[in-house]
Amino acid sequence: MNERRTKEPPILWVLTLGPFFSGFPALLLMLLGLSAPVVSLCIGQSTDAAGLLRACRNWCVFLCVLIALGVLVTLAVTAFSIRKLAAREDGRGLIPSALKLGAIILFLEILLCGAFLVKGPILSVVVDAQADLQQIRAGELETETMWIYPGSTLAHLPGPYSGEHPSPLTKYYASDESLQSWEPYLFPHEMGFEPEACYMASKPLEWNEENVPRYQIAYTSRLRFVVDVVPVNG
């Protein structure tokens, strides 16, 4: 009888601390969604604006699913621990501790995941990418004649990008003829776009008008994915 009692406490502690350990699988699921293999799987062979927008949307939706699964793991482990403790006469006194621990872990997960979904950003990217895809399908793109600013950078998909997958986009800054602001635009590498010359801020406007080509750019409204670009003469 005494031997049995000495074996029971470790089991009870494992059941009581189960909700705490469930937080680690939730974190691993989130990291899985950010890993290079998952990002590469979502991007696949996508190269044009529509394909990259779909990849961006699908990847962020997959991240949302993984985050939800992490929260469900904590709920399931907490429920399992309480059920097992309730089935043992010597474990019923530990039910409040397991409940409190499960509530704390669940609160922290929701707080962390909520911040990740909003600040990542993830939810906004899903909404923006879907809206841009519908805009491409409807053929209702924004079209502006713009100057291109000197310099460019490789760009990744919008969202909590891990940086391990090759960047499929080039970011240029461009402005309309008013030159009031220079906004970033994402050019898919498939377009092979490279401006012949860029706007020279050190030169007068008249010089730029005579020597620097402008481009008619068709792009999506939300994430500014460029679908078409044509040089404008004169």
Side-chain angles (χ1 to χ4, degrees), residues 115-156:
F116 187 55
L117 288 171
V118 174
K119 298 292 185 180
I122 297 178
L123 294 178
S124 62
V125 169
V126 172
V127 174
D128 290 344
Q130 182 61 30
D132 283 354
L133 276 170
Q134 292 176 350
Q135 191 177 16
I136 291 175
R137 294 190 194 105
E140 299 174 350
L141 297 168
E142 301 279 349
T143 303
E144 295 281 353
T145 298
M146 298 187 181
W147 303 95
I148 302 294
Y149 197 74
S152 65
T153 57
L154 295 178
H156 51 68

Side-chain angles (χ1 to χ4, degrees), residues 25-105:
L27 180 61
L28 289 174
L29 284 171
M30 185 185 298
L31 293 175
L32 172 64
L34 296 173
S35 65
V38 170
V39 177
S40 299
L41 183 64
C42 289
I43 296 177
Q45 302 300 317
S46 302
T47 55
D48 63 338
L52 291 171
L53 280 167
R54 277 193 298 271
C56 186
R57 178 200 61 191
N58 294 344
W59 171 48
C60 287
V61 168
F62 185 60
L63 277 172
C64 291
V65 171
L66 291 178
I67 288 172
L69 284 176
V71 174
L72 288 176
V73 167
T74 297
L75 287 172
V77 171
T78 302
F80 175 81
S81 295
I82 292 172
R83 180 180 177 184
K84 289 298 182 180
L85 287 172
R88 301 173 62 99
E89 185 175 350
D90 56 351
R92 291 169 189 167
L94 294 173
I95 290 178
S97 298
L99 270 173
K100 186 182 296 185
L101 189 57
I104 291 173
I105 296 300

Side-chain angles (χ1 to χ4, degrees), residues 151-227:
S152 65
T153 57
L154 295 178
H156 51 68
L157 294 180
Y161 190 76
S162 64
E164 297 177 4
H165 187 279
S167 301
L169 302 159
T170 299
K171 179 168 64 177
Y172 284 96
Y173 284 84
S175 176
D176 59 20
E177 295 181 359
S178 69
L179 300 175
Q180 291 182 353
S181 63
W182 296 91
E183 302 293 343
Y185 295 84
L186 300 176
F187 291 76
H189 287 173
E190 179 192 60
M191 301 180 71
F193 173 74
E194 186 174 349
E196 297 176 16
C198 296
Y199 185 86
M200 299 293 292
S202 60
K203 299 288 186 179
L205 175 61
E206 293 76 12
W207 184 93
N208 281 282
E209 289 176 340
E210 292 178 4
N211 297 277
V212 179
R214 286 166 291 172
Y215 295 88
Q216 188 177 61
I217 300 175
Y219 61 96
T220 62
S221 300
R222 303 275 186 108
L223 298 175
R224 293 197 181 98
F225 271 67
V226 175
V227 177

